[in-house]
């Protein structure tokens, strides 16, 4: 498989990885002061990328704390500034995940950036450690465990978490058996250290960044570990940086994310003239969905070719979660609801190749489980799930349930990074008001942690991803101005 082919397949399933959703060693910036070997740029393999995009491979230590650590490869790409006379530096594009790649983003989303940003910056992408075509990892999970409705810890219909604990043990055992040494060194802090190696190899004294979703946490951690190596930092669709829970807080955020976003779907799904209308009134959509999910808990519908090969209540709930990521997905969700009400199913959704799913799931598992220790007791999760189901029935307790990290055999090597207000004031947060995956409530936690270092733009939009994603001219203009000129709003602002 060519580098280009692997990259396309990785880019196609960024959303999958977000499904995975005794510490004594201090977090340090590590030894990245060594002179960097300049990157040897070549034409990217394969077809479909912008002909200006160049590719290179950077070697970094598997263990940044060990000077004798084996080296691993990080795949890097760039499209140079379109106006060398106006060039300011490099803009690193940081994908979501964990398990997302920005390797082809200079050719893709980077080309949506306004001309003055493309003039002032080289656009830089990369595949994070563990993700092909960088040195990759694989847990060798059972095929059924690669289903998104299994990677997300939906409890049993009666709310029991015992099945989730069994799944966690089975998946964690597979990762320990098949993941090799590298899976123990996947973490957000190590990705930040790799980024600083990329910066040095680019020959840049400072680097700008546009991080999206999980990439906002990566960008925040980089800004904390290497504050004086940062230029202009945009954090788009912002994760909660809670140092006690880290990714457990991200998973829990889906409760509020669905609460914020489902009414927007309900209004669309009940609008007269909508060919995919599911109810006459918006107020009817929620109870109808809950009844349908409960019915499918009792009476699943066979779904040949899908994973799993049935439409059960949790598969529907997962489809709801996926469908709320952006309004353009609403018709797919509505069609599934309408079919299920009739006892039928649409054609099975096309899945990425299994090898790609395995790689992305392994990167997600290693990063989420190495960043912070998760509780090991089923009783802890059962209590939380029971409370969550009562308060947020649409998500049925999933956001507080046990992922494979509950059985992860390796303790974290270092404490989670605590995001603080210490460092330069050069960060702009941009956040949709209604975001199912990274809700506004979590973004406000990041805003509070960064203090004077940041300004926040809240956008009156619905969906995941904010900048250049939903056509809000005010929000897009504000972020573009900052990237091109460094000018931020004087204070937090709201864009209608």
């Amino acid at each position: 498989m060519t580098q280009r082919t692997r990259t396309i397949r990785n880019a196609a399933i960024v959303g999958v990885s977000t499904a995975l959703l005794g510490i004594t060693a201090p977090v340090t910036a590590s030894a990245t002061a060594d002179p960097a070997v300049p990157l040897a740029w070549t034409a990217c393999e394969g077809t479909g990328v912008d002909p200006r995009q160049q590719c290179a491979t950077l070697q970094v230590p598997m263990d940044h704390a060990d000077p004798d650590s084996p080296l691993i490869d990080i795949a890097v790409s760039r499209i140079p500034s379109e106006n060398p006379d106006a060039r300011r530096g490099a803009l690193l594009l940081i994908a979501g995940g964990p398990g997302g790649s920005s390797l082809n983003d200079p050719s893709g989303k980077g080309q949506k950036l306004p001309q003055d940003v493309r003039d002032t910056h080289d656009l830089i992408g990369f595949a994070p450690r563990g993700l092909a075509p960088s040195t990759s990892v694989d847990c060798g999970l059972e095929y059924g465990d690669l289903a998104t409705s299994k990677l997300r810890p939906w409890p049993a219909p009666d709310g029991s978490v015992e099945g989730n604990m069994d799944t966690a043990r089975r998946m964690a055992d597979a990762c320990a058996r098949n993941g090799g040494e590298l899976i123990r060194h996947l973490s957000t802090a190590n990705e930040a250290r790799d980024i600083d190696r990329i910066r040095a190899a680019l020959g840049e004294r400072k680097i700008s960044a546009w991080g999206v979703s999980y990439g906002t946490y990566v960008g925040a951690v980089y800004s904390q570990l290497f504050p004086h190596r940062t230029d202009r930092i945009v954090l788009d669709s912002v994760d909660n940086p809670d140092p006690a829970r880290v990714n457990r807080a991200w998973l829990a955020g889906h409760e509020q994310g669905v609460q914020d976003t489902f009414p927007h779907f309900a209004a669309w799904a009940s609008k007269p003239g909508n060919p995919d209308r599911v109810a006459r009134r918006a107020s009817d959509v929620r109870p109808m969905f809950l009844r349908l999910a409960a019915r499918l808990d009792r009476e699943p519908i066979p779904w040949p070719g899908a994973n799993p090969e049935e439409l059960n209540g949790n598969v529907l709930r997962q489809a709801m979660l996926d469908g709320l990521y952006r309004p353009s997905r609403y018709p797919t969700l509505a069609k599934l609801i309408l079919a299920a009400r009739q006892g039928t199913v649409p054609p099975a959704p096309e899945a990425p190749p299994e090898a790609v799913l395995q790689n992305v799931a392994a990167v997600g598992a290693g990063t989420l489980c190495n960043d912070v220790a998760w509780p090991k007791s089923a009783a802890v999760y059962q209590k939380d799930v029971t409370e969550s189901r009562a308060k947020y029935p649409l998500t049925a307790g999933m956001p507080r349930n046990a992922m494979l990290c509950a059985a992860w055999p390796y303790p974290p090597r270092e404490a989670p990074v605590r995001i603080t207000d210490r460092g330069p004031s050069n960060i702009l947060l941009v956040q949709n008001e209604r975001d199912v995956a990274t809700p506004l409530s979590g973004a406000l936690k990041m805003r509070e942690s960064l203090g004077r270092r940041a300004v926040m733009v809240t956008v009156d939009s619905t969906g995941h991803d904010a900048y250049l994603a939903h056509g809000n001219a005010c929000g897009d203009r504000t972020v573009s101005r900052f990237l091109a000129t460094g000018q931020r709003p004087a204070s937090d602002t709201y864009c209608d």
Side-chain angles (χ1 to χ4, degrees), residues 37 270 297 419 474:
V37 177
S270 58
D297 284 335
I419 305 303
C474 165

Side-chain angles (χ1 to χ4, degrees), residues 132-354:
S134 298
T135 302
S136 62
V137 293
D138 189 320
C139 286
L141 299 176
E142 295 179 13
Y143 178 72
D145 287 338
L146 294 172
T148 309
S149 58
K150 186 65 71 69
L151 291 171
R152 296 279 177 92
W154 296 98
D158 64 357
S160 168
V161 306
E162 289 301 325
N164 302 108
M165 295 299 291
D166 290 341
T167 298
R169 286 187 285 269
R170 181 175 63 250
M171 294 174 68
D173 287 347
C175 288
R177 186 170 58 250
N178 302 316
E181 183 66 17
L182 178 54
I183 203 165
R184 303 183 64 178
H185 296 277
L186 302 178
S187 71
T188 303
N190 278 336
E191 183 171 338
R193 294 172 181 125
D194 293 343
I195 286 173
D196 204 55
R197 294 284 180 134
I198 293 172
R199 175 203 58 76
L202 292 170
E204 299 293 331
R205 187 174 61 87
K206 295 184 177 184
I207 194 166
S208 296
W210 172 20
V212 179
S213 194
Y214 166 69
T216 65
Y217 185 61
V218 176
V221 169
Y222 181 78
S223 298
Q224 191 68 40
L225 296 182
F226 303 94
H228 298 295
R229 297 298 190 186
T230 60
D231 190 12
R232 298 167 183 169
I233 305 298
V234 171
L235 306 182
D236 173 356
S237 304
V238 186
D239 272 327
N240 182 344
D242 182 349
R245 296 188 299 161
V246 192
N247 34 70
R248 288 185 68 208
W250 309 339
L251 187 67
H254 287 92
E255 293 174 336
Q256 190 61 50
V258 169
Q259 193 87 337
D260 293 343
T261 309
F262 194 88
H264 190 267
F265 167 73
W268 173 90
S270 58
K271 188 174 182 179
N274 182 349
D276 299 311
R277 191 182 189 192
V278 303
R280 295 183 62 84
R281 298 177 301 180
S283 60
D284 294 334
V285 177
R286 176 186 167 106
M288 177 275 298
F289 180 87
L290 292 172
R291 288 193 302 271
L292 179 60
R295 192 189 87 193
L296 292 172
D297 284 335
R298 300 187 302 269
E299 304 170 2
I301 302 172
W303 201 356
N307 185 15
E309 290 199 329
E310 65 175 26
L311 175 58
N312 57 41
N314 283 340
V315 171
L316 180 69
R317 295 180 184 101
Q318 181 60 50
M320 176 268 295
L321 197 62
D322 293 340
L324 296 183
Y325 263 67
R326 58 190 69 248
S328 62
R329 297 183 182 181
Y330 288 178
T332 300
L333 173 58
K335 286 179 170 63
L336 180 62
I337 291 172
L338 291 168
R341 285 165 56 179
Q342 299 299 318
T344 63
V345 290
E350 184 176 353
E354 183 176 346

Side-chain angles (χ1 to χ4, degrees), residues 378-391:
V380 171
Y381 295 105
Q382 188 64 71
K383 177 179 180 293
D384 287 348
V385 164
T386 301
E387 292 176 355
S388 180
R389 287 168 66 86
K391 189 173 182 180

Side-chain angles (χ1 to χ4, degrees), residues 116-129:
D116 51 1
V117 178
R118 290 183 282 122
D119 286 345
T120 51
H121 294 87
D122 299 342
L123 305 182
I124 309 297
F126 72 108
R129 59 171 50 210

